[in-house]
Amino acid sequence: MSKILVVAELQDGKVRKATHSAITFARQAGAPFSILAIGAGAQGAAASVTGFGAEKVLVCDDASLVGPICERFAPTIAQAAKAGGFDVVVVTASSFGKDVAPRVAAKLGAGYAPDISGVKAEGDKLVFRRPVFAGNAYATCEITTALKVVSVRQSELAAAEPSGGASPVESVALAAKDAAEGRIEFVGLEAAKSERPDLGEARVIVAGGRALKEQFAGVLDPLANLLGAAVGASRAACDAGYAPAELQVGQTGRVVAPQLYFAIGISGAIQHLAGMKGSKTIVAVNKDADAPIFQVADYGLVADLFQAVPELVTELKKAQG
Amino acid sequence: MKILVPLKRVADPDNANKVKVNGGKLETTGLEWKPNPFDEYAVETALRLTENGTNPKARQGEVVVVTFGPKDTETTLRAALATGADRAIRVDAADDALDGDLVARALKALVEKEKPDLVLLGKQAVDGDSNQVGQLLAEYLGWPQATFAGSIQSEDDKSLVVGREVDGGTLKVRVTLPAVVSVDLRIVAPNSVRGKHTPPTHAYADGVRFAALMAIMAAKKKPLAEVKLADLASDTALKIKYTGFELPPARKAGIKVKAVSELVDKLKNEAKVV
């Protein structure tokens, strides 16, 4: 029987919602699990994950664990995994998780499987499922080493609901510093200030393509504001500078699965589809009737987006009364 | 500066929709091999860091490219040599005898022999989409890493300021060399890479450079060494075992609506999402 350590990802002193998908992974694996809240402010954040049925909530709260520099986090995650006798370490497949997980695996001599979308216990084996080739195929795989590290996709594993109870909270020690840590320094985080929900957590996403040009925000913001939506973008729109890079949805950007996804002026390259085709309802607005996006859209509208989107805002306002 | 660039060939990503699954096995026959696009960006980045952009033919340092695979992967290496890399190494191995961890461990041994100042590689290969070799290698070497680099600025080739594309925006870090850097899409924008030899006013053409015919011919004479995998890694056991493949569930075909009002009606009354 495995013993799983779920690494909670913190942001602004809170546990990110993606962590709840990692808890779902642990439940699917059917094994006892603990949660490690690690980072500056972890002590305060830990209380939010004590109600999920974890055996323990481990906390490493240290002022040095600030800024998502994986060289600072990996030694302590690996040490906590070893000390607690955990054989599976789970992180979220966020940019932080993907940065840190392989380092943890290398420290533990563990095999690493990224972007897990499901897990099954078969006897004493864990069988993982993960997308490959931009989601054009799903692979089943096993990790052959005794210790295993995985990252899990928030878009494929539903967020776990609290199950009640109160897991005991326990402090774990900060590991000794790595040589590598002395050679990396945090310079700054340039983040566009936004009141919008995170792409990974939004119920609705309004995404735009290159066709929007300089009017990207001018056209999409009213629709996003009305629906409380996150804004996403195609690679072409980001490359052209119409939208910031962190809004990119796709194989190599964010992978999302909201209830409702608007693809506005996005042709639908396979790399983009890889990042959004798990969405529940997809709406495409494009003036090219042959655009591949229409093959995955539940509702397609062939129209000039500069007319259709403002009209959509007006009609939605009417419909919402 | 000496830079080592690991490369991988992948089944043509623009034809990934032709990926077929037959009896739980992935069929890649009929798919054309292409260099992994992120690795091509890594080569371009390495070239920009080791030249004066106004006179790109004179290399100021050394760019060594390495790949793992059978003989025919040398095509990928020759293509990199043609764009300006100095020499190449092929680590002989069957494609299915490799996983990311084994490649990282073998690269560690190669780095210890070659002693580069920097290992530059793509953030992920677009076949397995694993996004791991750079991080594994950095840990095995005890080096710092800067993954998902969208910009790199060299500070006299002693350290790099790297703009990393992360979920929340751009995270800037300074890494002291030697280090591992994995590159993201926007590293090949005109002003993304600032090497110490190129005047700050110089803007590159967007994207990767293409090799001239003369350079392709000349690349055939550049050194290409073959190394055995077993000489770099004593333990060649794989840590990950793929046991089957399947196609994703197909989305059921949608409909085209004629007008915005019809769309709003469907969203409200059929899909019930607004």
Side-chain angles (χ1 to χ4, degrees):
Chain A
M1 173 71 88
S2 305
K3 204 174 152 192
I4 298 177
L5 182 64
V6 173
V7 180
E9 188 173 335
L10 303 190
Q11 190 177 33
D12 305 326
K14 290 198 183 99
V15 172
R16 282 187 78 174
K17 196 152 181 235
T19 302
H20 297 183
S21 297
I23 294 172
T24 299
F25 168 93
R27 288 183 182 166
Q28 271 190 14
F33 67 97
S34 291
I35 298 171
L36 171 65
I38 175 170
Q43 193 69 48
S48 71
V49 287
T50 51
F52 287 85
E55 291 197 317
K56 286 176 187 170
V57 173
L58 305 173
V59 175
C60 185
D61 189 341
D62 193 276
S64 70
L65 296 170
V66 66
I69 304 287
C70 75
E71 288 82 350
R72 293 177 187 160
F73 288 77
T76 298
I77 296 172
Q79 179 179 284
K82 251 193 227 162
F86 295 99
D87 47 17
V88 183
V89 177
V90 189
V91 304
T92 62
S94 60
S95 58
F96 176 71
K98 290 180 165 196
D99 194 39
V100 76
R103 277 199 98 109
V104 173
K107 276 186 189 296
L108 295 171
Y112 169 56
D115 284 310
I116 298 305
S117 63
V119 58
K120 236 178 16 192
E122 287 181 6
D124 55 356
K125 269 192 328 206
L126 289 178
V127 179
F128 306 104
R129 187 166 189 268
R130 61 178 303 264
V132 293
F133 284 100
N136 283 284
Y138 277 80
T140 44
C141 61
E142 293 163 26
I143 298 176
T144 58
T145 48
L147 299 181
K148 302 166 174 62
V149 177
V150 300
S151 64
V152 303
R153 274 206 178 180
Q154 183 183 14
S155 60
E156 304 237 20
L157 286 156
E161 295 295 333
S163 54
S167 312
V169 177
E170 218 173 79
S171 285
V172 293
L174 185 71
K177 281 188 184 180
D178 265 13
E181 194 195 328
R183 294 201 284 128
I184 184 161
E185 185 190 327
F186 176 84
V187 177
L189 176 67
E190 291 161 20
K193 272 271 165 256
S194 170
E195 297 302 310
R196 300 191 193 288
D198 179 79
L199 275 168
E201 296 174 16
R203 197 187 70 87
V204 182
I205 292 174
V206 174
R210 184 165 49 188
L212 285 150
K213 302 227 165 92
E214 280 79 12
Q215 295 170 67
F216 189 91
V219 172
L220 298 190
D221 280 0
L223 181 59
N225 292 343
L226 180 69
L227 297 170
V231 172
S234 70
R235 175 188 173 181
C238 294
D239 279 359
Y242 305 141
E246 65 264 28
L247 298 190
Q248 185 178 320
V249 171
Q251 179 187 18
T252 64
R254 300 294 296 274
V255 178
V256 299
Q259 291 293 305
L260 177 58
Y261 188 94
F262 287 93
I264 311 288
I266 291 176
S267 63
I270 58 157
Q271 290 85 356
H272 185 77
L273 301 184
M276 47 65 77
K277 67 184 175 190
S279 306
K280 189 154 176 290
T281 300
I282 297 173
V283 174
V285 180
N286 204 299
K287 68 177 178 196
D288 174 9
D290 297 322
I293 191 74
F294 288 120
Q295 290 164 21
V296 300
D298 299 279
Y299 304 112
L301 177 64
V302 181
D304 174 9
L305 64 92
F306 294 102
Q307 284 167 13
V309 176
E311 195 185 334
L312 182 58
V313 173
T314 310
E315 291 287 327
L316 279 169
K317 273 186 188 156
K318 266 198 257 170
Q320 290 179 346
Chain B
M1 183 156 50
K2 177 173 175 179
I3 305 179
L4 182 71
V5 186
L7 304 174
K8 187 183 184 186
R9 61 167 191 186
V10 296
D12 184 355
D14 292 324
N15 277 325
N17 55 349
K18 291 185 190 157
V19 168
K20 285 193 182 65
V21 174
N22 196 347
K25 288 216 164 84
L26 204 59
E27 269 189 13
T28 48
T29 43
L31 286 175
E32 208 183 316
W33 294 108
K34 286 263 174 79
N36 176 40
F38 286 99
D39 297 344
E40 290 188 295
Y41 303 160
V43 172
E44 174 65 28
T45 306
L47 296 174
R48 290 187 190 183
L49 285 170
T50 54
E51 69 190 12
N52 178 338
T54 62
N55 178 26
K57 278 193 179 145
R59 194 103 342 256
Q60 316 257 353
E62 191 182 18
V63 175
V64 182
V65 289
V66 55
T67 198
F68 292 71
K71 182 93 180 156
D72 63 341
T73 59
E74 289 184 1
T75 317
T76 310
L77 294 173
R78 292 285 176 204
L81 292 172
T83 57
D86 298 286
R87 60 191 174 86
I89 300 164
R90 178 174 68 83
V91 181
D92 187 54
D95 286 315
D96 59 5
L98 296 165
D99 66 9
D101 185 76
L102 177 52
V103 167
R105 283 183 288 120
L107 281 173
K108 175 188 187 253
L110 195 64
V111 165
E112 283 165 352
K113 214 160 79 179
E114 289 284 337
K115 300 190 170 47
D117 303 293
L118 175 65
V119 177
L120 258 179
L121 71 178
K123 74 164 182 177
Q124 73 192 64
V126 297
D127 48 4
D129 287 331
S130 290
N131 193 330
Q132 61 177 348
V133 171
Q135 296 92 310
L136 290 168
L137 175 61
E139 178 60 39
Y140 286 136
L141 288 166
W143 288 9
Q145 71 189 41
T147 51
F148 330 139
S151 68
I152 298 176
Q153 192 186 349
S154 171
E155 296 181 316
D156 207 24
D157 288 0
K158 299 274 190 279
S159 61
L160 304 175
V161 174
V162 180
R164 302 181 50 228
E165 294 194 0
V166 298
D167 291 349
T170 302
L171 178 70
K172 279 207 168 151
V173 294
R174 177 179 289 110
V175 288
T176 304
L177 300 179
V180 176
V181 175
S182 81
V183 300
D184 214 318
L185 296 168
R186 267 146 309 252
I187 196 71
V188 292
N191 295 301
S192 291
V193 179
R194 292 256 152 256
K196 72 176 239 189
H197 309 288
T198 301
T201 47
H202 181 77
Y204 276 93
D206 198 10
V208 300
R209 67 195 66 188
F210 292 99
L213 185 60
M214 285 289 282
I216 294 170
M217 299 307 289
K220 291 182 179 164
K221 296 202 177 75
K222 286 188 176 176
L224 194 163
E226 186 188 327
V227 179
K228 288 201 168 46
L229 180 63
D231 292 341
L232 296 176
S234 50
D235 177 7
T236 53
L238 302 185
K239 289 188 177 164
I240 216 172
K241 189 169 93 187
Y242 283 90
T243 53
F245 292 89
E246 60 185 22
L247 294 179
R251 282 190 79 91
K252 79 174 176 18
I255 58 159
K256 288 232 173 84
V257 293
K258 292 200 172 50
V260 169
S261 55
E262 187 189 349
L263 173 61
V264 171
D265 176 64
K266 296 278 184 201
L267 290 176
K268 190 176 159 106
N269 300 314
E270 192 174 85
K272 299 186 172 39
V273 284
V274 294

